[in-house]
PDB file of all heavy atoms in Angstrom:
ATOM      1  N   GLY A   1      -2.614  -7.204  -4.402  1.00  0.00           N
ATOM      2  CA  GLY A   1      -2.907  -5.926  -5.125  1.00  0.00           C
ATOM      3  C   GLY A   1      -4.282  -5.903  -5.730  1.00  0.00           C
ATOM      4  O   GLY A   1      -5.034  -6.882  -5.696  1.00  0.00           O
ATOM      5  N   PRO A   2      -4.749  -4.665  -6.260  1.00  0.00           N
ATOM      6  CA  PRO A   2      -6.129  -4.478  -6.750  1.00  0.00           C
ATOM      7  C   PRO A   2      -6.287  -4.848  -8.248  1.00  0.00           C
ATOM      8  O   PRO A   2      -7.328  -4.666  -8.837  1.00  0.00           O
ATOM      9  CB  PRO A   2      -6.235  -3.051  -6.499  1.00  0.00           C
ATOM     10  CG  PRO A   2      -4.905  -2.372  -6.701  1.00  0.00           C
ATOM     11  CD  PRO A   2      -3.981  -3.439  -6.256  1.00  0.00           C
ATOM     12  N   GLY A   3      -5.232  -5.393  -8.905  1.00  0.00           N
ATOM     13  CA  GLY A   3      -5.391  -5.593 -10.364  1.00  0.00           C
ATOM     14  C   GLY A   3      -4.834  -4.436 -11.182  1.00  0.00           C
ATOM     15  O   GLY A   3      -4.241  -3.513 -10.716  1.00  0.00           O
ATOM     16  N   SER A   4      -5.014  -4.541 -12.506  1.00  0.00           N
ATOM     17  CA  SER A   4      -4.330  -3.576 -13.349  1.00  0.00           C
ATOM     18  C   SER A   4      -5.197  -2.432 -13.774  1.00  0.00           C
ATOM     19  O   SER A   4      -4.750  -1.485 -14.273  1.00  0.00           O
ATOM     20  CB  SER A   4      -3.960  -4.291 -14.747  1.00  0.00           C
ATOM     21  OG  SER A   4      -5.035  -4.810 -15.250  1.00  0.00           O
ATOM     22  N   ASN A   5      -6.442  -2.389 -13.400  1.00  0.00           N
ATOM     23  CA  ASN A   5      -7.387  -1.372 -13.784  1.00  0.00           C
ATOM     24  C   ASN A   5      -7.355  -0.271 -12.691  1.00  0.00           C
ATOM     25  O   ASN A   5      -8.341   0.136 -12.055  1.00  0.00           O
ATOM     26  CB  ASN A   5      -8.826  -1.872 -13.892  1.00  0.00           C
ATOM     27  CG  ASN A   5      -9.694  -0.801 -14.449  1.00  0.00           C
ATOM     28  OD1 ASN A   5      -9.345  -0.018 -15.259  1.00  0.00           O
ATOM     29  ND2 ASN A   5     -10.932  -0.798 -13.957  1.00  0.00           N
ATOM     30  N   MET A   6      -6.147   0.335 -12.402  1.00  0.00           N
ATOM     31  CA  MET A   6      -5.953   1.384 -11.444  1.00  0.00           C
ATOM     32  C   MET A   6      -5.117   2.506 -12.006  1.00  0.00           C
ATOM     33  O   MET A   6      -4.253   2.277 -12.906  1.00  0.00           O
ATOM     34  CB  MET A   6      -5.270   0.766 -10.246  1.00  0.00           C
ATOM     35  CG  MET A   6      -5.946  -0.506  -9.615  1.00  0.00           C
ATOM     36  SD  MET A   6      -7.534   0.003  -8.839  1.00  0.00           S
ATOM     37  CE  MET A   6      -7.053   1.004  -7.388  1.00  0.00           C
ATOM     38  N   SER A   7      -5.232   3.717 -11.494  1.00  0.00           N
ATOM     39  CA  SER A   7      -4.431   4.800 -11.967  1.00  0.00           C
ATOM     40  C   SER A   7      -3.109   4.937 -11.285  1.00  0.00           C
ATOM     41  O   SER A   7      -2.097   5.335 -11.869  1.00  0.00           O
ATOM     42  CB  SER A   7      -5.284   6.114 -11.880  1.00  0.00           C
ATOM     43  OG  SER A   7      -6.416   6.097 -12.678  1.00  0.00           O
ATOM     44  N   PHE A   8      -3.068   4.732 -10.037  1.00  0.00           N
ATOM     45  CA  PHE A   8      -1.885   5.048  -9.130  1.00  0.00           C
ATOM     46  C   PHE A   8      -1.162   3.858  -8.645  1.00  0.00           C
ATOM     47  O   PHE A   8      -0.166   3.988  -7.858  1.00  0.00           O
ATOM     48  CB  PHE A   8      -2.289   5.927  -8.053  1.00  0.00           C
ATOM     49  CG  PHE A   8      -3.120   7.137  -8.467  1.00  0.00           C
ATOM     50  CD1 PHE A   8      -4.338   7.354  -7.748  1.00  0.00           C
ATOM     51  CD2 PHE A   8      -2.744   7.945  -9.516  1.00  0.00           C
ATOM     52  CE1 PHE A   8      -5.171   8.478  -8.148  1.00  0.00           C
ATOM     53  CE2 PHE A   8      -3.512   8.954  -9.943  1.00  0.00           C
ATOM     54  CZ  PHE A   8      -4.686   9.220  -9.218  1.00  0.00           C
ATOM     55  N   ILE A   9      -1.687   2.571  -8.859  1.00  0.00           N
ATOM     56  CA  ILE A   9      -1.015   1.351  -8.347  1.00  0.00           C
ATOM     57  C   ILE A   9      -0.653   0.533  -9.502  1.00  0.00           C
ATOM     58  O   ILE A   9      -1.422   0.234 -10.364  1.00  0.00           O
ATOM     59  CB  ILE A   9      -2.063   0.617  -7.494  1.00  0.00           C
ATOM     60  CG1 ILE A   9      -2.505   1.529  -6.280  1.00  0.00           C
ATOM     61  CG2 ILE A   9      -1.378  -0.628  -6.874  1.00  0.00           C
ATOM     62  CD1 ILE A   9      -1.514   1.900  -5.255  1.00  0.00           C
ATOM     63  N   ASN A  10       0.631   0.064  -9.459  1.00  0.00           N
ATOM     64  CA  ASN A  10       1.180  -0.819 -10.470  1.00  0.00           C
ATOM     65  C   ASN A  10       1.671  -2.041  -9.650  1.00  0.00           C
ATOM     66  O   ASN A  10       2.742  -2.026  -9.002  1.00  0.00           O
ATOM     67  CB  ASN A  10       2.252  -0.254 -11.317  1.00  0.00           C
ATOM     68  CG  ASN A  10       1.802   1.006 -11.973  1.00  0.00           C
ATOM     69  OD1 ASN A  10       2.216   2.103 -11.545  1.00  0.00           O
ATOM     70  ND2 ASN A  10       1.030   0.912 -12.952  1.00  0.00           N
ATOM     71  N   GLU A  11       1.014  -3.133  -9.645  1.00  0.00           N
ATOM     72  CA  GLU A  11       1.324  -4.295  -8.855  1.00  0.00           C
ATOM     73  C   GLU A  11       2.805  -4.708  -9.154  1.00  0.00           C
ATOM     74  O   GLU A  11       3.203  -4.605 -10.305  1.00  0.00           O
ATOM     75  CB  GLU A  11       0.411  -5.431  -9.095  1.00  0.00           C
ATOM     76  CG  GLU A  11      -0.980  -5.163  -8.595  1.00  0.00           C
ATOM     77  CD  GLU A  11      -1.908  -6.340  -8.793  1.00  0.00           C
ATOM     78  OE1 GLU A  11      -1.415  -7.488  -9.015  1.00  0.00           O
ATOM     79  OE2 GLU A  11      -3.125  -6.210  -8.578  1.00  0.00           O
ATOM     80  N   PRO A  12       3.522  -5.251  -8.163  1.00  0.00           N
ATOM     81  CA  PRO A  12       3.091  -5.386  -6.761  1.00  0.00           C
ATOM     82  C   PRO A  12       3.276  -4.030  -6.016  1.00  0.00           C
ATOM     83  O   PRO A  12       3.956  -3.214  -6.408  1.00  0.00           O
ATOM     84  CB  PRO A  12       3.976  -6.464  -6.241  1.00  0.00           C
ATOM     85  CG  PRO A  12       5.277  -6.280  -6.988  1.00  0.00           C
ATOM     86  CD  PRO A  12       4.828  -5.789  -8.402  1.00  0.00           C
ATOM     87  N   GLY A  13       2.645  -4.072  -4.761  1.00  0.00           N
ATOM     88  CA  GLY A  13       2.875  -2.963  -3.822  1.00  0.00           C
ATOM     89  C   GLY A  13       2.934  -3.548  -2.494  1.00  0.00           C
ATOM     90  O   GLY A  13       2.912  -4.840  -2.325  1.00  0.00           O
ATOM     91  N   LEU A  14       2.917  -2.651  -1.379  1.00  0.00           N
ATOM     92  CA  LEU A  14       2.873  -3.142  -0.100  1.00  0.00           C
ATOM     93  C   LEU A  14       1.473  -3.164   0.413  1.00  0.00           C
ATOM     94  O   LEU A  14       0.835  -2.107   0.378  1.00  0.00           O
ATOM     95  CB  LEU A  14       3.752  -2.305   0.954  1.00  0.00           C
ATOM     96  CG  LEU A  14       5.193  -2.438   0.717  1.00  0.00           C
ATOM     97  CD1 LEU A  14       5.871  -1.667   1.925  1.00  0.00           C
ATOM     98  CD2 LEU A  14       5.703  -3.863   0.817  1.00  0.00           C
ATOM     99  N   GLU A  15       0.950  -4.318   0.812  1.00  0.00           N
ATOM    100  CA  GLU A  15      -0.420  -4.454   1.155  1.00  0.00           C
ATOM    101  C   GLU A  15      -0.632  -4.965   2.576  1.00  0.00           C
ATOM    102  O   GLU A  15       0.129  -5.744   3.035  1.00  0.00           O
ATOM    103  CB  GLU A  15      -1.234  -5.451   0.224  1.00  0.00           C
ATOM    104  CG  GLU A  15      -2.540  -5.748   0.445  1.00  0.00           C
ATOM    105  CD  GLU A  15      -3.096  -6.942  -0.409  1.00  0.00           C
ATOM    106  OE1 GLU A  15      -3.306  -6.612  -1.594  1.00  0.00           O
ATOM    107  OE2 GLU A  15      -3.252  -8.059   0.111  1.00  0.00           O
ATOM    108  N   GLY A  16      -1.702  -4.360   3.276  1.00  0.00           N
ATOM    109  CA  GLY A  16      -1.797  -4.866   4.728  1.00  0.00           C
ATOM    110  C   GLY A  16      -3.144  -4.444   5.190  1.00  0.00           C
ATOM    111  O   GLY A  16      -4.023  -3.877   4.544  1.00  0.00           O
ATOM    112  N   SER A  17      -3.373  -4.685   6.569  1.00  0.00           N
ATOM    113  CA  SER A  17      -4.691  -4.456   7.152  1.00  0.00           C
ATOM    114  C   SER A  17      -4.788  -2.904   7.419  1.00  0.00           C
ATOM    115  O   SER A  17      -3.886  -2.189   7.973  1.00  0.00           O
ATOM    116  CB  SER A  17      -4.798  -5.162   8.495  1.00  0.00           C
ATOM    117  OG  SER A  17      -5.877  -4.702   9.170  1.00  0.00           O
ATOM    118  N   ALA A  18      -5.913  -2.260   6.922  1.00  0.00           N
ATOM    119  CA  ALA A  18      -6.141  -0.902   7.236  1.00  0.00           C
ATOM    120  C   ALA A  18      -6.624  -0.571   8.525  1.00  0.00           C
ATOM    121  O   ALA A  18      -6.707   0.608   9.004  1.00  0.00           O
ATOM    122  CB  ALA A  18      -7.142  -0.339   6.109  1.00  0.00           C
ATOM    123  N   SER A  19      -6.975  -1.513   9.396  1.00  0.00           N
ATOM    124  CA  SER A  19      -7.656  -1.323  10.683  1.00  0.00           C
ATOM    125  C   SER A  19      -6.579  -1.085  11.750  1.00  0.00           C
ATOM    126  O   SER A  19      -6.932  -0.691  12.852  1.00  0.00           O
ATOM    127  CB  SER A  19      -8.500  -2.519  11.101  1.00  0.00           C
ATOM    128  OG  SER A  19      -7.747  -3.625  11.169  1.00  0.00           O
ATOM    129  N   LEU A  20      -5.289  -1.392  11.402  1.00  0.00           N
ATOM    130  CA  LEU A  20      -4.272  -1.162  12.405  1.00  0.00           C
ATOM    131  C   LEU A  20      -3.919   0.323  12.523  1.00  0.00           C
ATOM    132  O   LEU A  20      -4.155   1.089  11.604  1.00  0.00           O
ATOM    133  CB  LEU A  20      -3.003  -1.904  12.033  1.00  0.00           C
ATOM    134  CG  LEU A  20      -3.120  -3.367  11.980  1.00  0.00           C
ATOM    135  CD1 LEU A  20      -1.802  -3.994  11.447  1.00  0.00           C
ATOM    136  CD2 LEU A  20      -3.399  -4.028  13.321  1.00  0.00           C
ATOM    137  N   SER A  21      -3.468   0.702  13.710  1.00  0.00           N
ATOM    138  CA  SER A  21      -3.040   2.177  13.891  1.00  0.00           C
ATOM    139  C   SER A  21      -1.677   2.181  14.626  1.00  0.00           C
ATOM    140  O   SER A  21      -1.562   1.910  15.842  1.00  0.00           O
ATOM    141  CB  SER A  21      -4.088   2.873  14.716  1.00  0.00           C
ATOM    142  OG  SER A  21      -3.794   4.200  14.846  1.00  0.00           O
ATOM    143  N   PRO A  22      -0.664   2.654  13.974  1.00  0.00           N
ATOM    144  CA  PRO A  22      -0.618   2.961  12.493  1.00  0.00           C
ATOM    145  C   PRO A  22      -0.657   1.649  11.682  1.00  0.00           C
ATOM    146  O   PRO A  22      -0.274   0.644  12.210  1.00  0.00           O
ATOM    147  CB  PRO A  22       0.761   3.631  12.293  1.00  0.00           C
ATOM    148  CG  PRO A  22       1.627   3.088  13.397  1.00  0.00           C
ATOM    149  CD  PRO A  22       0.685   2.822  14.527  1.00  0.00           C
ATOM    150  N   ALA A  23      -1.081   1.726  10.495  1.00  0.00           N
ATOM    151  CA  ALA A  23      -1.213   0.582   9.604  1.00  0.00           C
ATOM    152  C   ALA A  23       0.197   0.284   9.009  1.00  0.00           C
ATOM    153  O   ALA A  23       0.459  -0.914   8.733  1.00  0.00           O
ATOM    154  CB  ALA A  23      -2.177   0.879   8.405  1.00  0.00           C
ATOM    155  N   LEU A  24       1.063   1.291   8.980  1.00  0.00           N
ATOM    156  CA  LEU A  24       2.374   1.121   8.288  1.00  0.00           C
ATOM    157  C   LEU A  24       3.330   2.229   8.765  1.00  0.00           C
ATOM    158  O   LEU A  24       2.803   3.436   9.045  1.00  0.00           O
ATOM    159  CB  LEU A  24       2.186   1.225   6.773  1.00  0.00           C
ATOM    160  CG  LEU A  24       3.398   1.126   5.976  1.00  0.00           C
ATOM    161  CD1 LEU A  24       4.064  -0.301   6.114  1.00  0.00           C
ATOM    162  CD2 LEU A  24       3.068   1.236   4.431  1.00  0.00           C
ATOM    163  N   LYS A  25       4.523   1.882   8.905  1.00  0.00           N
ATOM    164  CA  LYS A  25       5.580   2.922   9.329  1.00  0.00           C
ATOM    165  C   LYS A  25       6.701   2.831   8.337  1.00  0.00           C
ATOM    166  O   LYS A  25       7.053   1.712   7.969  1.00  0.00           O
ATOM    167  CB  LYS A  25       5.954   2.623  10.772  1.00  0.00           C
ATOM    168  CG  LYS A  25       7.116   3.708  11.237  1.00  0.00           C
ATOM    169  CD  LYS A  25       7.587   3.413  12.663  1.00  0.00           C
ATOM    170  CE  LYS A  25       8.593   4.403  13.094  1.00  0.00           C
ATOM    171  NZ  LYS A  25       9.096   4.099  14.449  1.00  0.00           N
ATOM    172  N   VAL A  26       7.293   3.984   8.082  1.00  0.00           N
ATOM    173  CA  VAL A  26       8.616   3.941   7.351  1.00  0.00           C
ATOM    174  C   VAL A  26       9.546   4.823   8.076  1.00  0.00           C
ATOM    175  O   VAL A  26       9.371   5.873   8.576  1.00  0.00           O
ATOM    176  CB  VAL A  26       8.341   4.555   5.853  1.00  0.00           C
ATOM    177  CG1 VAL A  26       7.851   5.981   5.920  1.00  0.00           C
ATOM    178  CG2 VAL A  26       9.733   4.461   5.093  1.00  0.00           C
ATOM    179  N   ASP A  27      10.740   4.146   8.304  1.00  0.00           N
ATOM    180  CA  ASP A  27      11.861   4.841   8.977  1.00  0.00           C
ATOM    181  C   ASP A  27      12.895   5.139   7.966  1.00  0.00           C
ATOM    182  O   ASP A  27      13.336   4.333   7.091  1.00  0.00           O
ATOM    183  CB  ASP A  27      12.475   3.853   9.993  1.00  0.00           C
ATOM    184  CG  ASP A  27      11.630   3.692  11.201  1.00  0.00           C
ATOM    185  OD1 ASP A  27      11.550   4.686  12.035  1.00  0.00           O
ATOM    186  OD2 ASP A  27      10.997   2.611  11.325  1.00  0.00           O
ATOM    187  N   PHE A  28      13.388   6.392   8.085  1.00  0.00           N
ATOM    188  CA  PHE A  28      14.555   6.948   7.218  1.00  0.00           C
ATOM    189  C   PHE A  28      15.710   7.011   8.060  1.00  0.00           C
ATOM    190  O   PHE A  28      15.971   8.000   8.833  1.00  0.00           O
ATOM    191  CB  PHE A  28      14.117   8.339   6.660  1.00  0.00           C
ATOM    192  CG  PHE A  28      12.819   8.292   5.897  1.00  0.00           C
ATOM    193  CD1 PHE A  28      11.736   8.913   6.451  1.00  0.00           C
ATOM    194  CD2 PHE A  28      12.636   7.749   4.653  1.00  0.00           C
ATOM    195  CE1 PHE A  28      10.513   8.875   5.771  1.00  0.00           C
ATOM    196  CE2 PHE A  28      11.473   7.775   4.001  1.00  0.00           C
ATOM    197  CZ  PHE A  28      10.407   8.353   4.520  1.00  0.00           C
TER     198      PHE A  28
END
């Protein structure tokens, strides 16, 4: 994660490579 000095992120979160397409998928 990016540390505590953030407005919208409270560690931990899901982190990964931004260069993938798609970078992330969520199935419901």
